């Protein structure tokens, strides 16, 4: 879902990933920070969706406020802008391809991807989610527990993938193979394993295979 443009033309990122690996430490600091904070933004947005599914946010307007319409640093976009905007610590380190406009647009891209694919998680029910979000509101307690669990696991998976991308910068994971290994075949139980378990547990509960 998330691919941040590590785009100063050094070495191609490789494999199925776009972008480039920079040898400039300042650029790398900026790019890694933007990637990390996009992961946090995705988790924040998915958290707002969880609140909407559980009806703690009453309607689409309340959800939109949670995501991007509250005062500075009080919503997902505000927190992201504080960490990556013009006044942030990373601003002076960022390359021209990741200027303030590009960084701000990345939040909108992530939000659009999550909203547009909301129906992949929130798929059971008859009441439309509303606003710019696809999907439907879960109809009962069990389905709510399942889908919100999957949403939480998706946020963890995004963070895990971004961490693998960060490891491709100079000094670690010099080829595409170690990054792939970090995702799929690590020495110890990886982040994606916890994500898979979380999805399975939520699904099993929804179909009555697990004790409530």
């Amino acid at each position: 879902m998330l691919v941040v443009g590590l785009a100063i033309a050094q070495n191609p990122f490789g494999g199925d990933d776009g972008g480039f690996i920079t040898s400039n430490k300042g650029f790398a600091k900026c790019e890694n920070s933007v990637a990390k904070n996009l992961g946090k933004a995705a988790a924040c947005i998915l958290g707002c969706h969880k609140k909407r599914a559980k009806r703690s946010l009453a309607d689409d307007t309340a959800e939109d406020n949670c995501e991007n319409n509250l005062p500075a640093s009080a919503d997902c976009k505000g927190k992201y802008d504080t960490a990556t905007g013009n006044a942030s610590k990373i601003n002076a380190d960022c390359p021209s391809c990741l200027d303030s406009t590009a960084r701000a647009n990345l939040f909108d891209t992530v939000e659009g991807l999550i909203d547009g694919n909301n129906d992949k998680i929130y798929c059971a029910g008859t009441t439309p989610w509303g606003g710019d979000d696809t999907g439907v509101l879960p109809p009962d307690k069990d389905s709510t527990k399942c889908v919100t669990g999957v949403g939480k696991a998706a946020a963890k998976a995004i963070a895990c993938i971004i961490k693998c991308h960060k490891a491709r910068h100079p000094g670690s994971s010099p080829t595409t193979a170690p990054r792939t290994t970090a995702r799929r075949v690590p020495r110890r139980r990886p982040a994606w394993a916890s994500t898979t378990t979380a999805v399975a547990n939520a699904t099993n509960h929804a179909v009555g295979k697990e004790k409530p």
Side-chain angles (χ1 to χ4, degrees):
M1 183 181 289
L2 302 179
V3 178
V4 177
L6 306 177
I8 293 300
Q10 299 287 332
N11 298 316
F13 215 80
D16 57 353
D17 299 296
F20 300 89
I21 301 170
T22 179
S23 59
N24 184 299
K25 291 183 179 180
F27 293 168
K29 178 181 177 181
C30 169
E31 293 166 347
N32 284 336
S33 179
V34 172
K36 180 179 179 180
N37 282 288
L38 278 173
K40 290 182 178 181
C44 182
I45 294 167
L46 286 163
C48 295
H49 284 211
K50 178 180 179 179
K51 292 177 182 178
R52 177 79 176 100
K54 298 176 78 171
R55 276 62 166 187
S56 55
L57 293 176
D59 52 29
D60 180 67
T61 298
E63 183 206 316
D64 285 345
N65 287 339
C66 178
E67 294 174 0
N68 58 30
N69 289 332
L70 294 177
S73 295
D75 57 24
C76 302
K77 183 172 175 57
K79 293 173 183 176
Y80 172 79
D81 287 343
T82 297
T84 65
N86 276 331
S88 67
K89 295 179 180 179
I90 66 168
N91 185 59
D93 292 317
C94 292
S96 59
C97 60
L98 203 55
D99 61 15
S100 59
T101 299
R103 299 195 301 270
N105 288 342
L106 281 169
F107 178 90
D108 296 334
T109 298
V110 169
E111 183 183 15
L113 284 169
I114 292 174
D115 290 347
N117 288 280
N118 194 50
D119 59 339
K120 305 299 190 299
I121 297 174
Y122 296 95
C123 57
T126 58
T127 303
W129 194 274
D132 55 356
D133 299 291
T134 59
V136 289
L137 293 170
D140 52 54
K141 184 176 180 180
D142 280 347
S143 60
T144 298
K145 183 172 183 178
C146 170
V147 295
T148 55
V150 172
K152 183 178 180 179
K156 290 182 178 180
I158 291 168
C160 179
I161 292 168
I162 287 174
K163 186 176 181 180
C164 296
H165 282 216
K166 287 174 64 179
R168 286 285 285 121
H169 267 125
S172 60
S173 296
T175 67
T176 58
R179 185 178 60 82
T180 302
T181 301
R183 283 190 193 175
R184 311 258 167 120
V185 195
R187 296 174 186 172
R188 296 184 179 181
R189 181 177 176 83
W192 64 258
S194 298
T195 300
T196 303
T197 300
V199 172
N201 286 344
T203 304
N204 287 341
H205 176 77
V207 299
K209 294 181 180 179
E210 200 174 75
K211 293 182 180 180

